[in-house]
Amino acid sequence: MIKRKFLVLLFLIANFLVLLSPFFSKSSVSNYDDLKNAAFGFPYPFVNQDLSSYDPPFPYVMSISSPWENPTSINPLSLIATLLVINVSIYFMYYMFSLLRK
Protein backbone atom coordinates (compact mmCIF):
# COMPACT_ATOMS: atom_id res chain seq x y z
CA MET A 1 0.00 0.00 0.00
CA ILE A 2 2.86 2.36 0.73
CA LYS A 3 4.23 1.78 -2.76
CA ARG A 4 0.92 2.79 -4.34
CA LYS A 5 0.78 5.97 -2.26
CA PHE A 6 4.34 6.79 -3.27
CA LEU A 7 3.47 6.31 -6.95
CA VAL A 8 0.40 8.55 -6.68
CA LEU A 9 2.45 11.21 -4.90
CA LEU A 10 5.13 10.97 -7.58
CA PHE A 11 2.53 11.42 -10.34
CA LEU A 12 1.00 14.42 -8.57
CA ILE A 13 4.35 16.13 -8.09
CA ALA A 14 5.41 15.47 -11.69
CA ASN A 15 2.14 16.76 -13.12
CA PHE A 16 2.35 19.85 -10.91
CA LEU A 17 5.89 20.53 -12.17
CA VAL A 18 4.75 20.10 -15.77
CA LEU A 19 2.02 22.66 -15.25
CA LEU A 20 4.56 25.06 -13.72
CA SER A 21 7.16 24.48 -16.44
CA PRO A 22 6.08 27.45 -18.65
CA PHE A 23 7.16 29.79 -15.86
CA PHE A 24 10.66 28.31 -15.86
CA SER A 25 11.20 27.81 -19.59
CA LYS A 26 12.51 30.38 -22.05
CA SER A 27 11.72 31.01 -25.70
CA SER A 28 14.36 32.21 -28.13
CA VAL A 29 13.07 34.78 -30.61
CA SER A 30 14.95 35.96 -33.66
CA ASN A 31 12.31 38.08 -35.44
CA TYR A 32 8.90 39.66 -34.94
CA ASP A 33 7.06 36.55 -36.16
CA ASP A 34 8.65 34.57 -33.33
CA LEU A 35 7.46 37.23 -30.89
CA LYS A 36 3.87 36.74 -32.04
CA ASN A 37 4.02 33.03 -31.21
CA ALA A 38 6.42 32.49 -28.32
CA ALA A 39 6.02 28.95 -26.95
CA PHE A 40 6.67 27.89 -23.36
CA GLY A 41 6.55 24.59 -21.49
CA PHE A 42 8.57 21.41 -21.07
CA PRO A 43 9.18 18.90 -22.70
CA TYR A 44 6.74 20.05 -25.40
CA PRO A 45 5.77 23.72 -25.42
CA PHE A 46 2.06 23.96 -24.67
CA VAL A 47 1.58 27.64 -23.79
CA ASN A 48 1.69 30.17 -26.64
CA GLN A 49 1.93 33.85 -25.99
CA ASP A 50 1.85 36.91 -28.25
CA LEU A 51 4.76 39.07 -27.09
CA SER A 52 4.68 41.44 -30.07
CA SER A 53 4.15 44.42 -27.75
CA TYR A 54 7.83 44.17 -26.80
CA ASP A 55 10.68 45.45 -28.96
CA PRO A 56 13.80 43.52 -27.89
CA PRO A 57 17.10 43.40 -29.79
CA PHE A 58 17.24 40.21 -31.86
CA PRO A 59 18.11 37.45 -31.12
CA TYR A 60 16.61 37.52 -27.66
CA VAL A 61 15.52 35.00 -25.05
CA MET A 62 12.06 35.75 -23.66
CA SER A 63 10.30 34.37 -20.61
CA ILE A 64 6.55 34.17 -20.15
CA SER A 65 4.80 37.44 -19.34
CA SER A 66 1.52 38.41 -17.77
CA PRO A 67 -1.50 36.91 -19.54
CA TRP A 68 -3.42 40.09 -18.68
CA GLU A 69 -1.14 42.15 -20.91
CA ASN A 70 -0.28 39.60 -23.62
CA PRO A 71 -2.72 37.26 -25.37
CA THR A 72 -2.09 33.72 -24.14
CA SER A 73 -3.38 30.38 -25.37
CA ILE A 74 -2.91 26.78 -24.31
CA ASN A 75 -2.49 24.01 -26.86
CA PRO A 76 -4.40 21.08 -25.31
CA LEU A 77 -2.83 18.44 -27.56
CA SER A 78 0.69 19.48 -26.58
CA LEU A 79 -0.33 19.58 -22.93
CA ILE A 80 -1.77 16.06 -23.12
CA ALA A 81 1.32 14.82 -24.97
CA THR A 82 3.57 16.39 -22.34
CA LEU A 83 1.62 14.84 -19.46
CA LEU A 84 1.55 11.50 -21.25
CA VAL A 85 5.31 11.45 -21.82
CA ILE A 86 6.06 12.39 -18.22
CA ASN A 87 3.56 9.97 -16.67
CA VAL A 88 4.52 7.03 -18.89
CA SER A 89 8.21 7.56 -18.16
CA ILE A 90 7.56 7.71 -14.40
CA TYR A 91 5.46 4.57 -14.53
CA PHE A 92 8.12 2.80 -16.61
CA MET A 93 10.86 3.70 -14.12
CA TYR A 94 8.67 2.65 -11.20
CA TYR A 95 7.90 -0.65 -12.93
CA MET A 96 11.60 -1.31 -13.64
CA PHE A 97 12.53 -0.60 -10.00
CA SER A 98 9.79 -2.92 -8.80
CA LEU A 99 11.15 -5.68 -11.05
CA LEU A 100 14.65 -5.15 -9.68
CA ARG A 101 13.41 -5.39 -6.10
CA LYS A 102 11.82 -8.81 -6.64
XYZ file of all heavy atoms in Angstrom:
834
model
N 0.812 -1.196 0.000
C 0.000 0.000 0.000
C 0.857 1.261 0.000
O 0.510 2.251 -0.616
C -0.927 -0.039 1.220
C -1.944 1.036 1.216
S -3.092 0.770 -0.129
C -4.212 2.063 0.134
N 1.974 1.209 0.687
C 2.863 2.365 0.726
C 3.419 2.638 -0.669
O 3.557 3.776 -1.077
C 4.002 2.148 1.744
C 3.420 2.084 3.154
C 5.024 3.251 1.652
C 4.418 1.729 4.214
N 3.702 1.599 -1.423
C 4.230 1.776 -2.765
C 3.227 2.504 -3.649
O 3.589 3.361 -4.436
C 4.568 0.428 -3.380
C 5.711 -0.271 -2.720
C 5.964 -1.590 -3.390
C 7.047 -2.366 -2.673
N 7.298 -3.644 -3.327
N 1.957 2.149 -3.524
C 0.922 2.790 -4.339
C 0.772 4.264 -3.967
O 0.614 5.115 -4.840
C -0.396 2.063 -4.171
C -1.451 2.517 -5.137
C -2.632 1.621 -5.100
N -2.234 0.257 -5.414
C -2.591 -0.391 -6.508
N -3.345 0.202 -7.383
N -2.201 -1.616 -6.718
N 0.854 4.575 -2.687
C 0.784 5.973 -2.255
C 1.977 6.767 -2.774
O 1.840 7.922 -3.176
C 0.704 6.064 -0.737
C -0.613 5.638 -0.172
C -0.624 5.794 1.329
C -1.955 5.321 1.900
N -1.993 5.459 3.363
N 3.142 6.141 -2.754
C 4.338 6.793 -3.274
C 4.186 7.078 -4.767
O 4.556 8.158 -5.233
C 5.571 5.928 -3.010
C 6.819 6.486 -3.600
C 7.433 7.597 -3.048
C 7.389 5.897 -4.720
C 8.592 8.122 -3.602
C 8.541 6.411 -5.278
C 9.148 7.528 -4.709
N 3.653 6.133 -5.507
C 3.467 6.309 -6.950
C 2.472 7.435 -7.235
O 2.715 8.271 -8.115
C 3.005 5.005 -7.590
C 2.850 5.007 -9.106
C 4.194 5.247 -9.766
C 2.258 3.687 -9.577
N 1.392 7.474 -6.491
C 0.400 8.547 -6.678
C 1.016 9.899 -6.344
O 0.822 10.883 -7.071
C -0.852 8.271 -5.816
C -1.768 9.476 -5.775
C -1.591 7.052 -6.339
N 1.777 9.970 -5.271
C 2.450 11.212 -4.905
C 3.450 11.629 -5.981
O 3.542 12.818 -6.325
C 3.147 11.055 -3.553
C 3.866 12.289 -3.027
C 2.857 13.394 -2.729
C 4.669 11.939 -1.798
N 4.171 10.682 -6.521
C 5.131 10.974 -7.582
C 4.434 11.517 -8.829
O 4.892 12.488 -9.438
C 5.919 9.702 -7.917
C 7.201 9.856 -8.703
C 8.190 10.728 -7.966
C 7.801 8.483 -8.947
N 3.307 10.922 -9.204
C 2.531 11.419 -10.342
C 2.014 12.839 -10.088
O 2.074 13.694 -10.975
C 1.350 10.504 -10.651
C 1.715 9.286 -11.442
C 1.255 8.037 -11.053
C 2.496 9.361 -12.575
C 1.574 6.905 -11.774
C 2.823 8.242 -13.306
C 2.358 7.010 -12.904
N 1.520 13.090 -8.894
C 0.999 14.422 -8.575
C 2.093 15.486 -8.637
O 1.887 16.567 -9.190
C 0.339 14.418 -7.201
C -0.992 13.687 -7.093
C -1.458 13.658 -5.651
C -2.029 14.343 -7.978
N 3.240 15.174 -8.076
C 4.349 16.128 -8.089
C 4.829 16.370 -9.519
O 5.057 17.521 -9.923
C 5.504 15.635 -7.191
C 5.085 15.709 -5.727
C 6.774 16.454 -7.418
C 6.055 15.044 -4.775
N 4.948 15.318 -10.310
C 5.409 15.468 -11.692
C 4.419 16.277 -12.519
O 4.823 17.154 -13.301
C 5.633 14.099 -12.318
N 3.136 16.006 -12.366
C 2.135 16.763 -13.117
C 2.099 18.222 -12.689
O 1.913 19.116 -13.520
C 0.756 16.124 -12.966
C 0.670 14.804 -13.692
O 1.378 14.558 -14.656
N -0.192 13.937 -13.205
N 2.288 18.480 -11.411
C 2.348 19.851 -10.915
C 3.552 20.580 -11.508
O 3.445 21.739 -11.928
C 2.404 19.843 -9.379
C 2.425 21.203 -8.773
C 1.315 22.020 -8.820
C 3.565 21.661 -8.135
C 1.333 23.285 -8.259
C 3.600 22.913 -7.566
C 2.478 23.733 -7.623
N 4.693 19.918 -11.574
C 5.888 20.532 -12.165
C 5.721 20.780 -13.659
O 6.215 21.784 -14.186
C 7.114 19.669 -11.893
C 7.588 19.638 -10.440
C 8.737 18.659 -10.272
C 7.978 21.021 -9.972
N 5.024 19.882 -14.345
C 4.755 20.097 -15.774
C 3.888 21.339 -15.955
O 4.142 22.150 -16.845
C 4.084 18.858 -16.399
C 3.455 19.187 -17.744
C 5.087 17.741 -16.566
N 2.886 21.500 -15.118
C 2.018 22.665 -15.245
C 2.736 23.965 -14.882
O 2.367 25.033 -15.374
C 0.771 22.486 -14.375
C -0.161 21.358 -14.822
C -1.315 21.207 -13.842
C -0.677 21.601 -16.229
N 3.762 23.877 -14.051
C 4.563 25.060 -13.716
C 5.705 25.316 -14.693
O 6.323 26.376 -14.649
C 5.137 24.914 -12.306
C 4.182 25.076 -11.152
C 4.929 24.892 -9.836
C 3.496 26.422 -11.181
N 5.994 24.371 -15.566
C 7.157 24.483 -16.445
C 7.146 25.698 -17.373
O 8.227 26.211 -17.690
C 7.340 23.194 -17.256
O 6.318 23.052 -18.213
N 6.007 26.234 -17.825
C 6.083 27.449 -18.655
C 6.699 28.640 -17.928
O 7.298 29.512 -18.560
C 4.620 27.733 -19.011
C 3.947 26.436 -18.922
C 4.638 25.697 -17.816
N 6.587 28.672 -16.604
C 7.157 29.788 -15.858
C 8.677 29.687 -15.723
O 9.331 30.674 -15.390
C 6.522 29.869 -14.472
C 5.049 30.128 -14.515
C 4.142 29.130 -14.229
C 4.566 31.367 -14.892
C 2.786 29.364 -14.280
C 3.210 31.621 -14.961
C 2.311 30.607 -14.652
N 9.226 28.512 -15.981
C 10.661 28.314 -15.857
C 11.352 28.097 -17.193
O 12.570 27.980 -17.235
C 10.955 27.135 -14.929
C 10.389 27.322 -13.561
C 9.299 26.589 -13.131
C 10.926 28.273 -12.706
C 8.767 26.770 -11.866
C 10.389 28.471 -11.440
C 9.307 27.718 -11.028
N 10.587 28.019 -18.274
C 11.197 27.806 -19.588
C 11.345 29.142 -20.305
O 10.680 30.126 -19.980
C 10.357 26.839 -20.427
O 9.088 27.382 -20.674
N 12.224 29.178 -21.265
C 12.509 30.376 -22.046
C 12.218 30.092 -23.518
O 12.239 28.950 -23.947
C 13.977 30.777 -21.896
C 14.449 30.944 -20.487
C 14.063 32.265 -19.937
C 14.691 32.422 -18.551
N 14.169 33.522 -17.851
N 11.959 31.137 -24.267
C 11.720 31.015 -25.700
C 12.670 31.958 -26.430
O 12.700 33.158 -26.147
C 10.265 31.361 -26.025
O 10.027 31.248 -27.392
N 13.421 31.408 -27.351
C 14.359 32.205 -28.131
C 13.632 32.791 -29.335
O 13.002 32.069 -30.105
C 15.526 31.337 -28.586
O 16.410 32.085 -29.364
N 13.707 34.103 -29.485
C 13.065 34.781 -30.607
C 14.134 35.455 -31.454
O 15.094 36.023 -30.947
C 12.014 35.810 -30.134
C 10.854 35.120 -29.464
C 12.611 36.827 -29.204
N 13.967 35.352 -32.759
C 14.946 35.960 -33.662
C 14.312 36.951 -34.631
O 15.024 37.575 -35.420
C 15.688 34.874 -34.444
O 14.761 34.096 -35.158
N 12.986 37.086 -34.610
C 12.310 38.083 -35.444
C 10.937 38.369 -34.841
O 10.546 37.782 -33.841
C 12.203 37.602 -36.903
C 11.538 36.267 -37.030
O 10.652 35.929 -36.253
N 11.986 35.471 -37.990
N 10.195 39.261 -35.494
C 8.896 39.657 -34.944
C 7.846 38.559 -35.073
O 6.905 38.497 -34.289
C 8.413 40.945 -35.614
C 9.198 42.147 -35.150
C 10.145 42.736 -35.961
C 8.997 42.665 -33.874
C 10.878 43.823 -35.527
C 9.722 43.746 -33.425
C 10.661 44.324 -34.256
O 11.386 45.388 -33.807
N 7.998 37.674 -36.053
C 7.064 36.549 -36.162
C 7.203 35.598 -34.979
O 6.209 35.034 -34.513
C 7.279 35.794 -37.471
C 6.862 36.612 -38.682
O 5.959 37.468 -38.527
O 7.429 36.403 -39.770
N 8.436 35.405 -34.524
C 8.648 34.566 -33.332
C 8.040 35.209 -32.087
O 7.579 34.510 -31.189
C 10.136 34.322 -33.100
C 10.758 33.429 -34.156
O 10.006 32.753 -34.872
O 12.002 33.411 -34.239
N 8.055 36.538 -32.033
C 7.457 37.232 -30.891
C 5.949 37.031 -30.842
O 5.366 36.989 -29.773
C 7.750 38.733 -30.973
C 9.060 39.223 -30.388
C 9.228 40.699 -30.644
C 9.137 38.938 -28.917
N 5.319 36.914 -32.004
C 3.866 36.735 -32.037
C 3.446 35.353 -31.562
O 2.300 35.159 -31.185
C 3.335 36.975 -33.443
C 3.362 38.418 -33.844
C 2.699 38.623 -35.170
C 2.736 40.099 -35.510
N 1.967 40.396 -36.697
N 4.365 34.399 -31.594
C 4.018 33.033 -31.207
C 5.144 32.428 -30.364
O 5.741 31.433 -30.745
C 3.755 32.187 -32.455
C 3.116 30.871 -32.117
O 2.537 30.711 -31.052
N 3.239 29.916 -33.009
N 5.401 33.020 -29.226
C 6.418 32.491 -28.318
C 5.820 31.311 -27.560
O 4.726 31.400 -27.019
C 6.879 33.569 -27.352
N 6.535 30.189 -27.554
C 6.023 28.950 -26.947
C 6.803 28.625 -25.682
O 8.040 28.724 -25.658
C 6.120 27.813 -27.948
N 6.067 28.198 -24.651
C 6.666 27.887 -23.363
C 6.128 26.554 -22.854
O 4.999 26.177 -23.136
C 6.351 28.980 -22.340
C 6.799 30.336 -22.763
C 5.910 31.223 -23.344
C 8.109 30.716 -22.605
C 6.317 32.474 -23.743
C 8.539 31.971 -23.014
C 7.633 32.853 -23.586
N 6.936 25.862 -22.075
C 6.552 24.585 -21.485
C 7.635 23.555 -21.718
O 8.520 23.733 -22.554
N 7.570 22.469 -20.953
C 8.568 21.413 -21.070
C 7.899 20.067 -20.886
O 7.032 19.944 -20.029
C 9.651 21.618 -20.007
C 10.749 20.615 -20.073
C 11.738 20.750 -21.024
C 10.780 19.527 -19.229
C 12.753 19.821 -21.100
C 11.779 18.602 -19.301
C 12.772 18.751 -20.240
N 8.222 19.040 -21.606
C 9.176 18.900 -22.704
C 8.632 19.389 -24.036
O 9.408 19.708 -24.932
C 9.458 17.408 -22.762
C 8.261 16.747 -22.217
C 7.699 17.724 -21.210
N 7.320 19.464 -24.186
C 6.736 20.051 -25.400
C 6.096 21.381 -25.015
O 5.328 21.441 -24.065
C 5.670 19.128 -26.011
C 6.172 17.756 -26.357
C 5.636 16.630 -25.745
C 7.178 17.579 -27.284
C 6.083 15.367 -26.061
C 7.642 16.318 -27.603
C 7.088 15.217 -26.991
O 7.550 13.977 -27.297
N 6.385 22.444 -25.760
C 5.769 23.724 -25.424
C 4.253 23.677 -25.622
O 3.779 23.298 -26.680
C 6.411 24.709 -26.397
C 7.442 23.976 -27.140
C 7.297 22.533 -26.870
N 3.508 24.028 -24.587
C 2.055 23.961 -24.669
C 1.370 25.291 -24.372
O 0.158 25.409 -24.507
C 1.499 22.864 -23.751
C 1.891 22.979 -22.314
C 1.133 23.692 -21.422
C 3.034 22.344 -21.853
C 1.485 23.787 -20.097
C 3.400 22.418 -20.536
C 2.623 23.145 -19.648
N 2.132 26.314 -24.003
C 1.578 27.645 -23.790
C 2.165 28.569 -24.848
O 3.381 28.684 -24.986
C 1.914 28.176 -22.374
C 1.456 29.612 -22.211
C 1.294 27.298 -21.320
N 1.275 29.212 -25.615
C 1.695 30.166 -26.640
C 1.290 31.564 -26.198
O 0.180 31.764 -25.697
C 1.046 29.842 -27.985
C 1.524 28.530 -28.531
O 2.663 28.153 -28.327
N 0.647 27.826 -29.207
N 2.198 32.496 -26.428
C 1.929 33.854 -25.995
C 2.365 34.834 -27.078
O 3.411 34.664 -27.701
C 2.670 34.140 -24.691
C 2.161 35.351 -23.968
C 2.711 35.437 -22.568
O 3.876 35.183 -22.336
N 1.858 35.804 -21.623
N 1.547 35.854 -27.291
C 1.848 36.914 -28.249
C 2.609 38.013 -27.517
O 2.035 38.768 -26.739
C 0.558 37.454 -28.851
C 0.802 38.526 -29.893
O 1.979 38.807 -30.213
O -0.196 39.074 -30.396
N 3.906 38.083 -27.754
C 4.761 39.066 -27.086
C 5.159 40.189 -28.038
O 6.193 40.833 -27.860
C 6.013 38.371 -26.544
C 5.763 37.286 -25.504
C 7.053 36.566 -25.159
C 5.122 37.859 -24.263
N 4.333 40.441 -29.058
C 4.678 41.440 -30.070
C 4.644 42.870 -29.536
O 5.089 43.789 -30.218
C 3.758 41.310 -31.281
O 2.411 41.489 -30.896
N 4.146 43.081 -28.329
C 4.153 44.422 -27.751
C 5.553 44.837 -27.294
O 5.799 46.020 -27.060
C 3.180 44.501 -26.576
O 3.557 43.601 -25.565
N 6.454 43.877 -27.191
C 7.832 44.175 -26.802
C 8.680 44.433 -28.050
O 8.360 43.978 -29.139
C 8.441 43.009 -26.015
C 7.743 42.748 -24.714
C 6.907 41.648 -24.566
C 7.907 43.601 -23.627
C 6.249 41.396 -23.362
C 7.250 43.366 -22.429
C 6.431 42.266 -22.309
O 5.785 42.030 -21.132
N 9.767 45.159 -27.861
C 10.683 45.455 -28.958
C 12.121 45.155 -28.518
O 12.924 46.064 -28.325
C 10.540 46.914 -29.377
C 11.305 47.222 -30.642
O 11.590 46.287 -31.405
O 11.614 48.406 -30.864
N 12.449 43.860 -28.359
C 13.801 43.521 -27.893
C 14.796 43.511 -29.045
O 14.420 43.419 -30.213
C 13.610 42.107 -27.346
C 12.568 41.529 -28.223
C 11.631 42.665 -28.529
N 16.079 43.593 -28.737
C 17.096 43.396 -29.786
C 17.153 41.913 -30.140
O 17.061 41.053 -29.267
C 18.392 43.854 -29.118
C 18.141 43.680 -27.665
C 16.670 43.897 -27.447
N 17.241 41.614 -31.420
C 17.244 40.210 -31.864
C 18.655 39.701 -32.030
O 19.530 40.444 -32.447
C 16.471 40.066 -33.171
C 15.021 40.380 -33.035
C 14.465 41.460 -33.700
C 14.216 39.611 -32.228
C 13.129 41.752 -33.573
C 12.873 39.898 -32.093
C 12.327 40.972 -32.775
N 18.935 38.462 -31.770
C 18.108 37.446 -31.124
C 17.991 37.735 -29.635
O 18.868 38.343 -29.026
C 18.849 36.151 -31.390
C 20.264 36.543 -31.537
C 20.249 37.933 -32.125
N 16.899 37.248 -29.052
C 16.612 37.522 -27.657
C 15.934 36.304 -27.041
O 15.224 35.585 -27.722
C 15.702 38.755 -27.548
C 15.663 39.378 -26.186
C 16.734 40.134 -25.721
C 14.565 39.218 -25.370
C 16.704 40.715 -24.469
C 14.518 39.795 -24.114
C 15.590 40.540 -23.669
O 15.555 41.109 -22.429
N 16.150 36.108 -25.767
C 15.522 34.999 -25.050
C 14.448 35.595 -24.143
O 14.751 36.402 -23.266
C 16.555 34.196 -24.230
C 15.872 33.114 -23.434
C 17.606 33.608 -25.151
N 13.207 35.203 -24.394
C 12.064 35.751 -23.658
C 11.560 34.732 -22.640
O 11.655 33.530 -22.861
C 10.912 36.081 -24.613
C 11.247 37.047 -25.721
S 11.433 38.738 -25.177
C 9.775 39.168 -24.732
N 11.006 35.229 -21.559
C 10.296 34.374 -20.612
C 8.823 34.764 -20.660
O 8.458 35.793 -21.219
C 10.874 34.512 -19.210
O 10.815 35.847 -18.793
N 7.991 33.935 -20.081
C 6.551 34.171 -20.146
C 6.206 35.460 -19.409
O 6.827 35.809 -18.410
C 5.783 32.951 -19.588
C 4.344 32.977 -20.039
C 5.905 32.873 -18.087
C 3.641 31.654 -19.855
N 5.226 36.174 -19.936
C 4.798 37.440 -19.344
C 3.371 37.318 -18.844
O 2.739 36.280 -18.976
C 4.886 38.559 -20.381
O 6.214 38.765 -20.767
N 2.868 38.397 -18.343
C 1.525 38.405 -17.768
C 0.469 38.118 -18.834
O 0.454 38.753 -19.888
C 1.242 39.763 -17.141
O -0.115 39.861 -16.769
N -0.433 37.173 -18.572
C -1.501 36.905 -19.545
C -2.522 38.042 -19.614
O -3.308 38.112 -20.542
C -2.141 35.615 -19.038
C -1.779 35.521 -17.621
C -0.474 36.249 -17.455
N -2.513 38.950 -18.645
C -3.420 40.094 -18.683
C -2.976 41.107 -19.723
O -3.801 41.832 -20.277
C -3.494 40.765 -17.312
C -4.028 39.854 -16.262
C -3.302 39.280 -15.263
C -5.360 39.381 -16.107
N -4.103 38.479 -14.499
C -5.381 38.525 -14.991
C -6.541 39.593 -16.807
C -6.538 37.893 -14.559
C -7.687 38.960 -16.368
C -7.674 38.132 -15.268
N -1.665 41.171 -19.971
C -1.135 42.151 -20.906
C -0.849 41.565 -22.281
O -0.797 42.305 -23.256
C 0.156 42.748 -20.339
C -0.049 43.485 -19.044
C 1.257 43.882 -18.392
O 2.317 43.617 -18.968
O 1.199 44.453 -17.286
N -0.635 40.257 -22.358
C -0.275 39.604 -23.619
C -1.227 38.443 -23.867
O -1.425 37.608 -22.978
C 1.162 39.082 -23.547
C 2.144 40.191 -23.249
O 2.288 41.110 -24.016
N 2.784 40.109 -22.093
N -1.809 38.375 -25.068
C -2.722 37.265 -25.367
C -2.020 35.917 -25.197
O -0.926 35.699 -25.705
C -3.119 37.499 -26.823
C -2.847 38.939 -27.069
C -1.705 39.311 -26.181
N -2.664 35.021 -24.467
C -2.085 33.721 -24.137
C -3.070 32.631 -24.503
O -4.268 32.772 -24.298
C -1.767 33.652 -22.637
O -0.924 34.743 -22.290
C -1.096 32.353 -22.265
N -2.541 31.536 -25.065
C -3.385 30.383 -25.374
C -2.661 29.113 -24.959
O -1.440 29.071 -24.886
C -3.734 30.338 -26.859
O -2.561 30.155 -27.621
N -3.455 28.084 -24.700
C -2.914 26.781 -24.310
C -3.275 25.783 -25.395
O -4.433 25.695 -25.800
C -3.475 26.332 -22.954
C -3.003 27.294 -21.860
C -3.036 24.912 -22.628
C -3.585 27.021 -20.499
N -2.276 25.051 -25.869
C -2.494 24.013 -26.862
C -2.789 22.716 -26.109
O -1.886 22.112 -25.529
C -1.257 23.866 -27.742
C -1.460 22.901 -28.872
O -2.423 22.139 -28.894
N -0.544 22.943 -29.821
N -4.058 22.257 -26.123
C -4.403 21.083 -25.309
C -3.730 19.799 -25.778
O -3.404 18.947 -24.957
C -5.924 20.990 -25.418
C -6.327 21.879 -26.507
C -5.226 22.836 -26.764
N -3.487 19.658 -27.083
C -2.827 18.437 -27.565
C -1.384 18.352 -27.078
O -0.916 17.287 -26.682
C -2.891 18.359 -29.082
C -4.278 18.137 -29.681
C -4.218 18.152 -31.194
C -4.863 16.840 -29.181
N -0.686 19.471 -27.094
C 0.688 19.485 -26.582
C 0.720 19.255 -25.078
O 1.617 18.585 -24.572
C 1.370 20.811 -26.905
O 1.556 20.951 -28.280
N -0.261 19.793 -24.374
C -0.333 19.578 -22.934
C -0.582 18.107 -22.620
O 0.087 17.526 -21.752
C -1.418 20.441 -22.302
C -1.659 20.271 -20.808
C -0.396 20.595 -20.022
C -2.812 21.123 -20.354
N -1.491 17.486 -23.329
C -1.772 16.058 -23.118
C -0.555 15.219 -23.473
O -0.202 14.279 -22.752
C -3.016 15.636 -23.922
C -4.264 16.261 -23.303
C -3.148 14.119 -23.962
C -5.506 16.118 -24.130
N 0.118 15.565 -24.575
C 1.324 14.820 -24.966
C 2.414 14.968 -23.916
O 3.109 13.995 -23.582
C 1.817 15.296 -26.322
N 2.576 16.160 -23.378
C 3.574 16.388 -22.337
C 3.263 15.570 -21.094
O 4.141 14.896 -20.537
C 3.627 17.884 -21.982
O 4.024 18.613 -23.139
C 4.593 18.156 -20.858
N 2.009 15.618 -20.646
C 1.621 14.842 -19.462
C 1.756 13.352 -19.711
O 2.177 12.600 -18.826
C 0.191 15.194 -19.049
C -0.005 16.597 -18.483
C -1.483 16.884 -18.297
C 0.754 16.772 -17.193
N 1.432 12.914 -20.913
C 1.547 11.499 -21.245
C 3.004 11.038 -21.210
O 3.320 9.994 -20.629
C 0.932 11.231 -22.616
C 0.829 9.783 -23.033
C -0.171 9.060 -22.155
C 0.422 9.686 -24.484
N 3.883 11.813 -21.802
C 5.308 11.447 -21.818
C 5.867 11.382 -20.402
O 6.563 10.423 -20.038
C 6.114 12.445 -22.683
C 7.600 12.335 -22.433
C 5.797 12.239 -24.146
N 5.549 12.356 -19.584
C 6.060 12.390 -18.217
C 5.494 11.234 -17.398
O 6.226 10.517 -16.704
C 5.742 13.751 -17.556
C 6.464 14.881 -18.281
C 6.086 13.737 -16.079
C 7.971 14.801 -18.244
N 4.180 11.017 -17.478
C 3.557 9.972 -16.671
C 3.970 8.567 -17.112
O 4.197 7.699 -16.270
C 2.036 10.116 -16.688
C 1.579 11.317 -15.898
O 2.154 11.643 -14.877
N 0.553 11.976 -16.377
N 4.091 8.347 -18.404
C 4.521 7.030 -18.886
C 5.964 6.764 -18.473
O 6.305 5.655 -18.060
C 4.329 6.912 -20.408
C 5.053 5.714 -20.978
C 2.848 6.839 -20.740
N 6.810 7.772 -18.561
C 8.205 7.558 -18.164
C 8.325 7.294 -16.661
O 9.124 6.452 -16.238
C 9.070 8.747 -18.585
O 8.637 9.918 -17.948
N 7.533 7.972 -15.845
C 7.555 7.713 -14.402
C 7.063 6.298 -14.116
O 7.659 5.569 -13.316
C 6.717 8.749 -13.640
C 7.443 10.076 -13.631
C 6.431 8.300 -12.214
C 6.639 11.203 -13.057
N 5.978 5.910 -14.762
C 5.455 4.569 -14.529
C 6.451 3.505 -14.989
O 6.634 2.483 -14.320
C 4.116 4.364 -15.240
C 3.522 3.014 -14.952
C 2.934 2.751 -13.722
C 3.586 1.985 -15.880
C 2.413 1.510 -13.429
C 3.076 0.739 -15.596
C 2.488 0.502 -14.375
O 1.982 -0.734 -14.093
N 7.119 3.749 -16.113
C 8.115 2.801 -16.614
C 9.272 2.655 -15.630
O 9.706 1.536 -15.335
C 8.624 3.243 -17.985
C 9.650 2.333 -18.566
C 9.291 1.099 -19.073
C 10.988 2.707 -18.607
C 10.235 0.246 -19.611
C 11.945 1.857 -19.139
C 11.570 0.629 -19.639
N 9.775 3.770 -15.103
C 10.860 3.705 -14.120
C 10.407 2.999 -12.850
O 11.137 2.182 -12.289
C 11.374 5.109 -13.795
C 12.176 5.731 -14.910
S 12.981 7.273 -14.469
C 11.618 8.289 -13.996
N 9.200 3.300 -12.393
C 8.666 2.645 -11.203
C 8.522 1.146 -11.436
O 8.857 0.344 -10.567
C 7.316 3.277 -10.844
C 6.718 2.720 -9.588
C 7.157 3.143 -8.348
C 5.707 1.770 -9.646
C 6.603 2.641 -7.189
C 5.155 1.252 -8.490
C 5.609 1.688 -7.270
O 5.069 1.180 -6.127
N 8.060 0.760 -12.593
C 7.904 -0.654 -12.931
C 9.262 -1.361 -12.975
O 9.404 -2.481 -12.478
C 7.180 -0.779 -14.273
C 6.955 -2.195 -14.718
C 6.008 -2.994 -14.083
C 7.690 -2.741 -15.764
C 5.802 -4.300 -14.484
C 7.493 -4.045 -16.177
C 6.549 -4.822 -15.535
O 6.344 -6.117 -15.923
N 10.259 -0.704 -13.564
C 11.601 -1.307 -13.641
C 12.198 -1.469 -12.231
O 12.813 -2.491 -11.939
C 12.520 -0.457 -14.520
C 12.100 -0.432 -15.967
S 11.906 -2.051 -16.700
C 13.589 -2.513 -16.903
N 12.030 -0.473 -11.366
C 12.530 -0.599 -10.000
C 11.809 -1.700 -9.239
O 12.418 -2.406 -8.445
C 12.409 0.723 -9.244
C 13.461 1.713 -9.604
C 13.120 3.010 -9.938
C 14.807 1.379 -9.598
C 14.087 3.932 -10.285
C 15.781 2.275 -9.935
C 15.426 3.566 -10.273
N 10.517 -1.860 -9.498
C 9.788 -2.916 -8.803
C 10.238 -4.304 -9.290
O 10.246 -5.253 -8.517
C 8.284 -2.752 -8.979
O 7.925 -2.972 -10.323
N 10.619 -4.418 -10.553
C 11.151 -5.679 -11.053
C 12.517 -5.985 -10.467
O 12.853 -7.141 -10.182
C 11.246 -5.671 -12.585
C 9.939 -5.778 -13.357
C 10.221 -5.716 -14.856
C 9.208 -7.053 -12.999
N 13.317 -4.947 -10.257
C 14.651 -5.152 -9.678
C 14.573 -5.537 -8.203
O 15.446 -6.235 -7.697
C 15.477 -3.876 -9.828
C 15.906 -3.534 -11.245
C 16.612 -2.183 -11.259
C 16.838 -4.604 -11.796
N 13.548 -5.096 -7.523
C 13.411 -5.389 -6.096
C 12.954 -6.811 -5.839
O 13.128 -7.348 -4.764
C 12.441 -4.431 -5.443
C 12.969 -3.005 -5.465
C 12.055 -2.099 -4.742
N 12.665 -1.908 -3.423
C 12.031 -1.444 -2.391
N 10.777 -1.141 -2.462
N 12.656 -1.273 -1.237
N 12.339 -7.454 -6.835
C 11.822 -8.815 -6.640
C 12.898 -9.851 -6.662
O 13.944 -9.827 -7.061
C 10.790 -9.151 -7.713
C 9.502 -8.413 -7.479
C 8.487 -8.849 -8.491
C 7.190 -8.093 -8.247
N 6.150 -8.509 -9.168
